[in-house]
Amino acid sequence: MWRIAVLVGLFYVATIRTGHDWGDDFALYIQHARNIAAGAPYAETGYIYNPHNPAVGPRTYPPGFPLLLAPVVMVFGLDLQPMKVVIVLCFVGTLLLLPHVFQRDVPPRFTAALILVMGLNPFFWDFKDEVLSDIPFLFFTLLSLYAFQRGRKVPLAGLAAAAAIATRTLGVVLIPCFIVSDLLQLRRVRRETVLACGIAVALLLLQRLFGAQDGSYFDTFTVTPAVVGRNIVDYLRALSDIWDNGYTGIGRKLIFLVTVGLAGFGYFRAFRGTGESRGPTVVEIFPVLYVIPVMLWPAYQGTRFLIPLIPFYLYYCLLGIRGLESALAPRWHVALAFLAIVALVYGARYSTLRYGPLPDGVAAPESVELFRFVKQNTSPQDIFVFSKPRALALFTGRRASAPFTPDDPCRLWRYLTEIGATYVITGPPPGYVDPAAAYLEGFVSRYPRALVRVMGNQTSVVYRIVGDPCSGSGLGLVA
């Protein structure tokens, strides 16, 4: 089975695309990695956190993923291609772990199918070009669950859990996951489990001691029934995206409904216990404990937040298929039919994907022109307001903050004054869904005398701030 994982990895590496989209989470990770490589203060990224728009991102990210990137940045600088190779390696490691984590009640042909269905999924192929922490987090999570299921390797489970938490804060659910698993299986907590949890907690406290943890994550945390209801609907839609065929939404919805039903049946069988199984294990507990904070979190993150759940979803789907085959007489080849449908869906989707350089984003000619202008024509002391502040800070060495969308535009002016902003940049290009970017377009057109255009292209325009129309003089306001 390792050959399948390696072949998938070679396919991914061979098809890495140049560039990166405008979602600038990646930029903060890379800046942290650059600071680690250079021995600079971890939090000095050039990103000015805007408490009025916390959804853009926290002041700092956990250090796990930047630590993985730091050696690459030290050798290759800001070249994104080697960083994407790191993502692919973590994904291959994930595929190699699948047969060891999901081994209960599944024969080899089903685990091989699990590796194929997940490894060749077009969503993951497309996602490999995102320099983000999601795939490394999945790898460390599965490594932790694998080690926990091997009694003698429980200390490794603690180390891997600590790595998962250091990569994404939601990894903290692994600690109660271990405890609940012991309580359900043994009615007590083993010494090994206490050791694993102790290692994870100790390393988490050490991480906080060195200041690589930021509480601004909770600036967006407001739980309401409306948030939960919206998240349930939106995340179900997001999960169905892994079955996107590129042509019709009906096919996506049908296969999603069928696979969810099969996964539910498979999960019920695993939770109840079949054969030599003794009921719910850590594998059944983790997806439940993980999905709870995701549903409560108000900042919707799309399919990427569900990546840790996808292997569980596919595993239980195959477990449901196996249970269905066992119940049917004469036996139907349900698994083969499922794989045939998956092959058709994947083939259709791959026929619509772009295989060349990513056309939009930070590597587009207009973006490169913007970064070059800012570096060559502004001072290192200048401060910018831009909808993608972390990417701007990474590629220009300037400090930048995100705008927000107040009802009264004078509140935004007050924020510009508060941070000492000297420039405003509109963009990125139309069609990129970003309310703050759209708001900024209207904002600059409202105050033509206070904002002087100094550079522009098809995607972005740079304005120098020359006045404050809300200071009482009325400078710049269009009547």
Side-chain angles (χ1 to χ4, degrees), residues 10-21 78-85 87-88 121-131 349-360 362-363:
L10 292 174
F11 168 55
Y12 275 34
V13 170
T15 54
I16 287 176
R17 298 167 290 183
T18 58
H20 202 289
D21 66 26
L78 295 183
D79 187 348
L80 295 172
Q81 304 303 90
M83 301 183 205
K84 295 179 182 181
V85 173
I87 302 300
V88 173
N121 187 281
F123 167 80
F124 284 107
W125 178 88
D126 191 41
F127 197 79
K128 77 183 184 305
D129 290 293
E130 303 274 354
V131 183
R349 180 59 178 144
Y350 275 115
S351 72
T352 66
L353 291 171
R354 184 183 296 271
Y355 296 93
L358 297 172
D360 302 313
V362 296

Side-chain angles (χ1 to χ4, degrees), residues 80-131:
L80 295 172
Q81 304 303 90
M83 301 183 205
K84 295 179 182 181
V85 173
V86 173
I87 302 300
V88 173
L89 290 175
C90 288
F91 188 67
V92 171
T94 296
L95 296 180
L96 291 172
L97 284 169
L98 293 181
H100 304 287
V101 176
F102 304 107
Q103 59 179 332
R104 192 175 74 162
D105 299 326
V106 176
R109 64 189 178 95
F110 276 82
T111 51
L114 177 61
I115 296 173
L116 277 172
V117 173
M118 182 163 170
L120 295 178
N121 187 281
F123 167 80
F124 284 107
W125 178 88
D126 191 41
F127 197 79
K128 77 183 184 305
D129 290 293
E130 303 274 354
V131 183

Side-chain angles (χ1 to χ4, degrees), residues 30 42 76 150 160 186 234 270 277 279 334 364 399 446 454 477:
I30 295 173
Y42 184 79
F76 298 99
R150 305 296 190 277
L186 306 170
D234 289 346
S277 302
V334 182
R399 291 180 293 165
R446 181 181 175 91
V454 293
L477 180 63

Side-chain angles (χ1 to χ4, degrees), residues 11 55 89 105 122 132 178 217 230 271 302 307 333 419 423 431 465:
F11 168 55
L89 290 175
D105 299 326
L132 296 171
F178 296 159
Y217 273 116
R230 184 182 67 245
F271 195 91
I307 284 176
H333 295 293
I419 65 173
Y423 288 90
I465 299 173

